[in-house]
């Protein structure tokens, strides 16, 4: 039996579920197709960081807009997603790093953003009493925070379903072809006929793009995380480091999550992401050096999730080359926070053909070689 | 200890010790890691230095372990006690902590011989202090000569009767044995009696144990089909039901047991394929006839690959080692077959009793899938049946979704005491076969690892080579 | 209550259990010592504050967690006594924030 709908979303991560939700709010009928289960990959297993701090310049407007939604997330999805506006801080361990932070702050001020605030040694100590004495300062965004990723993704899914979205799990998209002005999507079960197709396939986004004739230079890696047994409460904001890879946060239940982007190995065909303890060791050392209390922590679990990385570290968001095609993938390990807004942007594009958000830098054709781009412009 | 071995064996129980002996005979550089301070595993724990003065109380079978331990000490393999293996990667990189130092070493072949653990026994009140397992009673007896006066033993399976018998031998009062074996199991088991009679020593042993318990005047109450533990800060009474009425026994110590199941945490975390064994009601690693798992170069020996008992584990250990030696190129196929022949014959003989035992001591569903909403399933995170029911209702139809949603299985025991219950509960709620529900996705470290140890991890490049 | 059924000759070591000195046989695990001393519960859970004691005695269940020489979360059934070792019960719930029970951390 052929299914039909106004739109199909490929991928049941945060972006897929958010697109579905925002489209459904605008009266569009949507089917989400997910090859595993919703939240199985990056969106369900990430570090839950909700930050504007340290974002690449082109992402800042989107990130700022997303933050507005995060602070009222229950209004959007009927669940608090365990979002905690704990603040985020990036620690400088020496003068040079502190100067780097100053430069960054002034760069942002010039671009019209004031959320990143540089703090000195004393303020850092007030904010982070457990910080190692060698740290000289930092940069803070006070109402950044963190949320529970799996719970958030499920909340988006449930809310979307309550608005009529159908979510098909364990169904894989195999082929896509244009037939009489609609897209025929062949899946591992029944095919779908839809006018609109949205690629939110995360670390598999490039293979969906290939099905649409739009190859992109994406790579898949597996950022690793480790979590400790419950510890006495000792750190409120999410802690990162200017000079090294680190992101550390303590949840209300006392467990501490350590990550920041140290990579394990991703094998996309088998859905496996294997750990690399050499890298985790370096990550652990960084945590212990910046917050010495961490030496006594007990790591109870480690994991890695598969994520798609673009060469320039920012995602693909926007229309594809063919009519009715939209992309939102390749979030390069910082897409969770953008989830609530990207769905709304895609819904803008689908329903009105335009969006007020500046998405130019995320065009899919930015990786084309210049002649290719010219050829595209001519045709 | 070296930074690379041809063969690394995890576990120094009968399977691991036998594997080491076989490897030594053929001259492969091998290492045996075990968390305990001395060889023996669970069954032959403390066999070199038993705590009790009176050797007879532990029974004759126990002393077989002494010989294996002696061979392990003398055969020339590196034996590293007090070593916690917290990861084996699919490329056979091994993470191990010894004396507070964590290190990575490598091996061409790995044998996982991490044995079994006792099946969870989720009944109301099983988390109260002084509710322990029959296995724990035996550990205390073997390694510390400690026994609890006036304890109640409840459950089913050979180990339960053995420990009660050992208590009786030691002159310790046993208040009661509450036998949860369903009466129908006796009828079903008769079908397998012929096989059992080909290994009569096991039947005789069982009869002897029960006779010993009864002769000592211990009340043996059969057909118990409902159990709950009572008490405030610790257990003070056991209540049970055979028909309609609850009975009560005051007791300040209870030992529960309903069989043992493979300890699959390491093999799962390596990525070995596992399947549901419906006869033994547990997950077990898929292995070929040489014990090799679906991950190349990683073999599983002993109870970890399905429960067959201590003697079988010994033969399996030997067979797995010969398989590994062949893959290393140390021996050829003929020599492998020749050396394995006696072990194969002995293993086949050992397995004859299994269908009978599995049928007779098959724990009933009402003790595996707790019917009571308030029964705690995940002891670490205190998640009860009701919470799991609720999570399944909102769409968490697998153990991993459940884990993310409810924290069930996320505590330090890493699902060892709730994983089986969770698989079977979800299967029950969703009316799907357990084999389709699956198990927790397990990742290293399989034991909590001190951050400071990880931060100072010794890698092969850093240590000697 | 656990009692000694006749232990072989062993040396004794001195350990300190919550300010109290006790002589215990060498080779005992910390959990065995606690049980022999009649200490039934060794900790309270961080989730609900329920008392817990050793359950499996083989390093599986993590119910026997205690503080040894000032270090929390030690498995009493896996640690062997040493001369001068200090052992304390672990009170899990007191150290963590107020809404801890409802809160989750992410998981894979
Ligand atoms: C370990 C880790 C830590 C991170 N930490 C943070 C953080 O702290 N803060 C932050 O903002 N971001 C973080 N990120 C990044 C963030 O998680 C991702 O950018 C974001 O979740 C991407 O969402 P997605 O929906 O694009 O991808 P996914 O969640 O991976 O969803 C894509 C889905 O598409 C499905 N799919 C693929 N191909 C097909 C097909 N052919 N047919 C059907 N289905 C298909 C996949 O199975 C998958 O479920 C982290 C990422 C990882 C891995
Ligand atoms: S009693 Fe189970 S881990 Fe110590």
């Amino acid at each position: 039996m052929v299914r039909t709908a106004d739109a199909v979303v490929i991928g049941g991560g945060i972006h897929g579920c958010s697109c579905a939700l925002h489209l459904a709010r605008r009266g569009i009928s949507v089917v989400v197709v997910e090859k595993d289960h919703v939240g199985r990959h990056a969106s369900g297993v990430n570090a839950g960081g909700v930050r504007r701090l340290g974002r690449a310049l082109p992402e800042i407007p989107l990130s700022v807009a997303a933050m507005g939604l995060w602070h009222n997330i229950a209004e959007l999805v009927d669940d608090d997603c365990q979002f905690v506006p704990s603040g985020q801080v990036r620690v400088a361990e020496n003068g040079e790093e502190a100067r780097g932070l100053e430069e960054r702050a002034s760069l942002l001020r010039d671009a019209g953003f004031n959320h990143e605030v540089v703090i000195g040694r004393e303020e850092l100590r007030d904010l982070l009493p457990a910080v190692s004495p060698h740290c000289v300062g930092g940069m803070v965004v006070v109402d950044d925070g963190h949320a529970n990723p799996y719970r958030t993704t499920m909340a988006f899914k449930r809310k979307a379903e309550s608005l009529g979205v159908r979510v098909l799990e364990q169904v894989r998209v195999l082929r896509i072809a244009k037939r009489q002005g609609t897209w025929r999507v062949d899946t591992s079960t029944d095919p779908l006929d839809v006018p609109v197709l949205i690629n939110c396939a995360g670390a598999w986004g490039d293979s969906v793009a290939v099905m649409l004739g739009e190859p992109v230079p994406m790579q898949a890696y597996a950022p690793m995380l480790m979590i400790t047994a419950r510890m006495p409460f000792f750190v409120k904001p999410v802690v990162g480091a200017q000079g090294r890879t680190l992101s550390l946060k303590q949840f209300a239940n006392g467990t501490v999550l350590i990550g920041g982007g140290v990579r394990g190995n991703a094998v996309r065909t088998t859905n496996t992401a294997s750990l690399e303890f050499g890298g985790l060791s370096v990550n652990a050392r960084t945590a212990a050096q910046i917050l010495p209390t961490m030496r006594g922590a007990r790591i109870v679990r480690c994991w890695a999730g598969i994520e798609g990385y673009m060469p320039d570290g920012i995602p693909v968001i926007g229309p594809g080359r063919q009519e009715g095609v939209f992309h939102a993938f390749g979030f390069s390990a910082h897409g969770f926070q953008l989830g609530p807004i990207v769905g709304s942007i895609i819904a803008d594009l689908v329903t009105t053909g335009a969006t007020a958000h500046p998405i130019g830098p995320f065009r899919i054709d930015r990786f084309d070689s210049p002649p290719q781009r010219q050829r595209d412009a001519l045709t | 200890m070296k930074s690379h071995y041809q063969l690394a064996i995890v576990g120094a129980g009968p399977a691991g010790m036998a594997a080491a002996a076989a490897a030594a005979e053929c001259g492969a550089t091998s290492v045996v890691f075990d968390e305990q301070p001395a060889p023996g595993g669970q069954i032959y724990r403390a066999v070199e230095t038993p705590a009790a003065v009176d050797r007879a109380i532990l029974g004759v079978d126990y002393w077989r372990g002494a010989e294996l331990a002696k061979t392990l000490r003398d055969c020339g393999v590196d034996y590293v006690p007090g070593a916690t293996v917290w990861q084996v990667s699919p490329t056979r990189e091994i993470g191990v902590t010894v004396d507070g130092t964590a290190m990575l070493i490598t091996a061409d072949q790995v044998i996982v011989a991490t044995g079994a653990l006792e099946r969870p026994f989720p009944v109301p009140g099983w988390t109260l202090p002084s509710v322990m397992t029959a296995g724990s009673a035996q550990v205390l007896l073997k390694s510390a000569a400690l026994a609890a006066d006036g304890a109640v033993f409840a459950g089913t399976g050979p180990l339960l009767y053995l420990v009660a018998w050992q208590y009786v031998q030691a002159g310790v009062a046993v208040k009661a044995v509450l036998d949860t074996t369903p009466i129908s199991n006796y009828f079903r088991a008769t079908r397998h009696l012929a096989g059992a009679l080909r290994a009569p020593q096991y039947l005789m042993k069982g009869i002897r144990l029960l006779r010993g318990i009864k002769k000592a005047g211990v009340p043996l109450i059969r057909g118990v089909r409902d159990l709950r533990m009572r008490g405030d800060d610790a257990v003070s009474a056991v209540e049970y039901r055979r028909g309609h009425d609850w009975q009560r026994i005051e007791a300040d110590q209870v030992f529960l047991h309903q069989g043992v199941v493979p300890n699959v945490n390491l093999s799962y975390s390596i990525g070995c394929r596992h399947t549901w064994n419906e006869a033994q009601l547990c997950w077990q690693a898929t292995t070929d006839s040489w014990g090799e798992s679906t991950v190349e170069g990683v073999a599983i020996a002993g109870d970890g690959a399905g429960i067959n008992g201590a003697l079988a584990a010994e033969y399996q250990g030997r067979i797995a080692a010969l398989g590994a030696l062949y893959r290393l190129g140390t021996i050829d196929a003929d020599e492998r077959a020749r050396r394995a022949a006696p072990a194969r014959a002995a293993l086949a003989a050992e397995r004859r009793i299994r269908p009978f035992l599995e049928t007779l001591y098959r724990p009933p569903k009402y003790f595996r899938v707790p019917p009571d909403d308030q029964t705690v399933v995940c002891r670490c995170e205190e998640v009860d049946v009701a919470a799991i029911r609720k999570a399944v209702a909102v769409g968490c139809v697998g153990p991993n979704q459940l884990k993310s949603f409810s924290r069930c299985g996320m505590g330090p025991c890493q699902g060892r005491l709730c994983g089986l219950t969770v698989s079977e509960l979800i299967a029950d709620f969703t009316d799907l076969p357990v084999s389709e529900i699956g198990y927790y996705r397990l990742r290293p470290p399989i034991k909590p690892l001190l951050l400071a140890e990880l931060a100072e991890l010794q890698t092969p490049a850093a240590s000697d080579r | 209550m656990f009692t000694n059924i006749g232990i072989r000759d062993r040396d004794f070591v001195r350990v300190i259990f919550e300010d109290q000195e006790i002589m215990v046989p060498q080779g005992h695990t910390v959990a065995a010592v606690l049980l022999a001393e009649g200490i039934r519960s060794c900790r309270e859970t961080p989730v609900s504050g329920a008392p817990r004691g050793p359950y499996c005695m083989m390093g599986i269940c993590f119910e026997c967690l205690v503080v040894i020489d000032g270090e929390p979360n030690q498995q009493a059934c896996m640690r062997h006594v040493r001369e001068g070792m200090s052992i304390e019960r672990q009170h899990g719930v007191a150290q963590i924030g107020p809404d801890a029970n409802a809160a989750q951390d992410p998981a894979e």
Side-chain angles (χ1 to χ4, degrees):
Chain A
M1 193 194 74
V2 179
R3 288 169 186 272
T4 57
D6 295 336
V8 64
V9 173
I10 304 174
I14 181 88
H15 291 290
C17 293
S18 174
C19 286
L21 166 58
H22 284 282
L23 284 166
R25 279 161 56 111
R26 298 174 202 199
I28 306 280
S29 71
V30 184
V31 176
V32 176
V33 181
E34 164 56 51
K35 68 181 169 59
D36 298 306
H37 62 253
V38 167
R40 163 70 176 87
H41 294 291
S43 298
V45 305
N46 67 56
V50 177
R51 67 171 169 88
R52 283 160 295 176
L53 177 64
R55 291 236 165 219
L57 230 41
E59 279 187 356
I60 293 177
L62 270 54
S63 181
V64 169
M67 212 63 206
L69 296 175
W70 276 106
H71 279 274
N72 299 296
I73 197 73
E75 278 170 29
L76 188 62
V77 296
D78 301 341
D79 190 298
D80 68 5
C81 302
Q82 288 175 345
F83 171 67
V84 183
S86 59
Q88 292 227 3
V89 55
R90 175 175 278 200
V91 173
E93 297 180 78
N94 54 49
E96 195 188 319
E97 289 178 9
R99 276 189 298 284
L101 292 177
E102 292 284 2
E103 282 163 27
R104 157 92 185 173
S106 84
L107 188 76
L108 249 61
R109 272 194 304 276
D110 293 348
F113 297 106
N114 299 314
H115 54 273
E116 293 186 354
V117 178
V118 174
I119 58 173
R121 192 183 274 273
E122 291 315 310
E123 287 163 295
L124 179 66
R125 249 150 221 95
D126 287 348
L127 186 65
L128 278 185
V131 78
S132 162
H134 79 276
C135 298
V136 297
M139 175 180 266
V140 182
V141 178
V142 283
D143 48 6
D144 277 3
H146 55 82
N148 181 315
Y150 183 72
R151 182 154 171 166
T152 304
T153 307
M154 289 299 277
F156 273 85
K157 170 192 180 234
R158 274 202 306 276
K159 181 70 191 188
E161 284 177 322
S162 77
L163 298 175
V165 170
R166 277 174 298 163
V167 178
L168 310 178
E169 295 174 289
Q170 315 285 344
V171 177
R172 181 187 289 270
V173 170
L174 303 171
R175 265 178 311 275
I176 303 170
K178 194 97 181 193
R179 289 214 328 205
Q180 292 141 12
T182 65
W183 291 105
R184 162 58 63 99
V185 181
D186 282 325
T187 73
S188 47
T189 61
D190 296 334
L192 288 130
D193 277 344
V194 286
V196 171
L197 192 149
I198 301 156
N199 171 15
C200 295
W204 293 263
D206 59 341
S207 41
V208 173
V210 164
M211 293 181 201
L212 293 161
E214 301 185 87
V216 284
M218 196 193 86
Q219 294 279 332
Y221 297 109
M224 301 185 287
L225 295 172
M226 39 191 164
I227 194 146
T228 71
R230 295 165 199 252
M231 299 175 71
F233 211 72
F234 80 104
V235 50
K236 180 168 175 263
V238 179
V239 181
Q242 169 70 351
R244 300 196 260 179
T245 301
L246 178 71
S247 172
L248 179 152
K249 59 180 76 74
Q250 183 166 31
F251 295 100
N253 64 18
T255 59
V256 176
L257 182 72
I258 310 162
V262 193
R263 293 171 189 176
N265 306 308
V267 185
R268 286 188 284 176
T269 44
T270 55
N271 271 351
T272 46
S274 63
L275 299 166
E276 203 273 295
F277 273 88
L280 288 172
S281 173
V282 174
N283 208 191
R285 207 177 310 145
T286 307
Q289 284 168 354
I290 292 182
L291 295 164
T293 319
M294 287 302 295
R295 288 185 63 79
R298 296 221 157 235
I299 310 286
V300 292
R301 270 175 297 125
C302 298
W303 69 92
I306 309 181
E307 170 73 329
Y309 288 75
M310 303 313 296
D312 52 4
I314 59 174
V316 172
I317 306 171
R321 292 178 177 80
Q322 303 190 60
E323 204 191 315
V325 171
F326 301 88
H327 297 285
F329 68 89
F331 282 85
S332 312
H334 38 262
F336 177 62
Q337 189 264 353
L338 298 174
I341 197 70
V342 169
S344 148
I345 292 172
I346 296 290
D348 288 345
L349 294 172
V350 170
T351 53
T352 69
T355 176
H357 297 277
I359 56 166
F362 310 111
R363 301 164 57 93
I364 191 164
D365 63 10
R366 68 183 189 272
F367 306 105
D368 294 349
S369 54
Q372 165 84 36
R373 212 176 290 165
Q374 275 157 21
R375 232 180 300 135
D376 280 358
L378 288 174
T379 52
Chain B
M1 200 173 129
K2 303 191 184 69
S3 62
H4 179 82
Y5 288 91
Q6 287 181 289
L7 173 63
I9 298 164
V10 186
M17 294 191 289
E25 284 166 26
C26 301
T29 62
S30 317
V31 64
V32 178
F33 294 115
D34 194 293
E35 217 173 359
Q36 290 189 48
Q42 300 306 343
I43 183 131
Y44 305 130
R45 184 185 274 264
V47 71
E48 294 173 324
T49 53
V53 181
D54 182 359
R55 288 172 66 110
I57 60 173
L58 293 173
V60 284
D61 295 343
Y62 176 64
W63 303 103
R64 182 182 178 96
E67 233 169 278
L68 284 167
K70 186 166 183 325
T71 311
L72 175 68
R73 298 262 187 205
D74 298 344
C75 72
V77 306
D78 282 355
Y79 161 58
V80 188
T84 302
V85 171
W86 42 264
Q87 90 138 354
V88 174
S89 79
T91 54
R92 296 174 307 283
E93 179 186 73
I94 299 166
V96 57
T97 295
V98 186
D99 279 338
T101 302
M103 53 200 128
L104 291 178
I105 67 146
T106 53
D108 298 320
Q109 295 287 322
V110 171
I111 295 177
V112 174
T114 48
L117 45 84
E118 290 174 270
R119 178 188 293 283
F121 206 142
V123 292
W126 72 309
T127 53
L128 285 169
S130 301
V131 176
M132 299 174 71
T133 68
S136 78
Q138 203 184 39
V139 167
L140 286 160
L141 203 58
K142 288 173 185 168
S143 61
L146 288 173
D149 229 350
V152 169
F153 286 79
T156 182
L159 183 63
L160 186 81
Y161 312 128
L162 174 62
V163 185
W165 178 87
Q166 287 171 334
Y167 262 46
V168 167
Q169 295 308 295
V172 181
V174 174
K175 209 159 231 176
V177 174
L178 301 179
D179 193 327
T180 60
T181 315
I183 304 299
S184 56
N185 281 11
Y186 293 95
F187 298 106
R188 289 207 188 93
T190 51
R191 249 191 293 141
H192 302 287
L193 203 54
L197 286 170
R198 292 170 69 191
Q201 67 278 17
Y202 283 99
L203 280 184
M204 291 315 296
K205 187 176 164 188
I207 292 168
R208 189 167 45 87
L209 294 180
L210 284 172
R211 200 191 295 140
I213 294 170
K214 276 199 270 191
K215 228 171 85 190
V218 177
L220 177 62
I221 299 160
R222 294 197 201 257
V224 170
R225 60 152 299 150
D226 227 338
L227 265 178
R228 59 191 188 210
M229 310 293 128
R230 294 295 193 178
D232 295 325
D233 292 337
V235 72
S236 56
V238 184
E239 294 177 347
Y240 69 94
R241 214 157 42 162
R242 290 203 285 180
H244 276 302
D245 301 326
W246 284 97
Q247 312 284 326
R248 186 181 168 94
I249 304 177
E250 307 299 323
D252 63 6
Q253 182 67 50
V254 181
F255 296 115
L256 297 174
H257 179 80
Q258 53 176 348
V260 296
V261 293
N263 184 351
V264 291
N265 279 55
L266 184 55
S267 52
Y268 256 114
S269 75
I270 301 172
C272 305
R273 186 184 315 134
H274 290 69
T275 53
W276 177 253
N277 179 334
E278 182 54 35
Q280 297 188 351
L281 295 165
C282 59
W283 297 101
Q284 72 182 44
T286 308
T287 53
D288 69 10
S289 63
W290 296 98
E292 195 177 16
S293 73
T294 53
V295 174
E296 201 188 318
V298 175
I300 322 280
D303 279 350
I307 304 300
N308 288 294
L311 289 176
E314 205 178 306
Y315 308 135
Q316 284 173 307
R318 191 171 172 81
I319 292 166
L322 292 167
L325 291 163
Y326 169 75
R327 291 191 294 274
L328 283 169
T330 312
I331 57 174
D332 62 21
D334 287 346
E335 186 174 358
R336 178 178 68 166
R338 187 166 47 74
R339 284 181 177 267
R344 282 208 188 280
L347 179 60
E350 271 310 299
R351 279 188 169 146
R352 273 181 211 129
I353 186 76
R354 282 290 139 189
F356 177 78
L357 294 180
E358 284 162 11
T359 313
L360 181 57
Y361 298 123
R362 183 180 175 89
K365 183 168 170 193
Y366 43 85
F367 283 126
R368 307 193 318 268
V369 180
D372 194 335
D373 259 10
Q374 274 77 53
T375 305
V376 169
V377 172
C378 167
R379 300 174 60 111
C380 296
E381 297 292 332
E382 301 184 51
V383 181
D384 63 13
V385 174
I388 296 174
R389 189 193 302 280
K390 208 176 109 198
V392 171
V394 300
C396 299
V397 290
N400 296 299
Q401 291 116 294
L402 172 70
K403 181 163 133 183
S404 305
F405 197 81
S406 68
R407 288 193 64 79
C408 187
M410 248 200 239
C413 94
Q414 301 180 331
R416 288 170 173 90
L417 288 190
C418 65
L420 277 174
T421 315
V422 159
S423 291
E424 288 209 76
L425 257 178
I426 300 179
D428 193 54
F429 290 158
T430 56
D431 227 352
L432 289 168
V434 186
S435 55
E436 274 178 41
I437 299 300
Y439 195 66
Y440 293 130
R441 200 158 43 241
L442 297 173
R443 288 290 178 77
I446 57 155
K447 287 267 172 128
L449 178 61
L450 190 66
L451 186 125
E453 286 169 10
L454 177 58
E456 275 124 50
L457 183 67
Q458 309 286 304
T459 53
S463 50
D464 73 313
R465 181 144 215 188
Chain C
M1 176 74 184
F2 283 89
T3 49
N4 180 344
I5 55 156
I7 194 166
R8 267 162 204 269
D9 261 358
R10 280 192 180 173
D11 290 341
F12 279 72
V13 296
R14 184 186 54 96
V15 301
I16 301 133
F17 174 67
E18 297 178 356
D19 302 330
Q20 183 193 330
E21 273 192 23
I22 40 181
M23 297 302 286
V24 300
Q26 182 125 46
H28 265 34
T29 60
V30 172
V33 167
L34 295 181
L35 291 168
E37 289 294 316
I39 310 292
R40 302 171 74 187
S41 139
C42 62
R43 68 174 186 125
E44 284 116 40
T45 63
V47 180
S48 72
R52 292 283 171 87
Y55 177 74
C56 73
M57 289 301 290
M58 54 182 276
I60 297 294
C61 70
F62 291 78
E63 294 290 14
C64 60
L65 301 180
V66 293
V67 182
I68 295 180
D69 294 332
E71 277 219 44
N73 291 326
Q74 304 295 307
Q75 283 178 286
C77 73
M78 300 299 285
R79 293 286 305 269
H80 290 255
V81 289
R82 256 198 328 261
E83 177 67 27
M85 178 184 264
S86 112
I87 305 163
E88 294 157 86
R89 278 172 284 203
Q90 181 162 317
H91 303 288
V93 78
Q95 307 171 313
I96 307 167
D99 53 348
N101 294 346
Q104 301 210 353
D105 48 49
E108 205 263 1

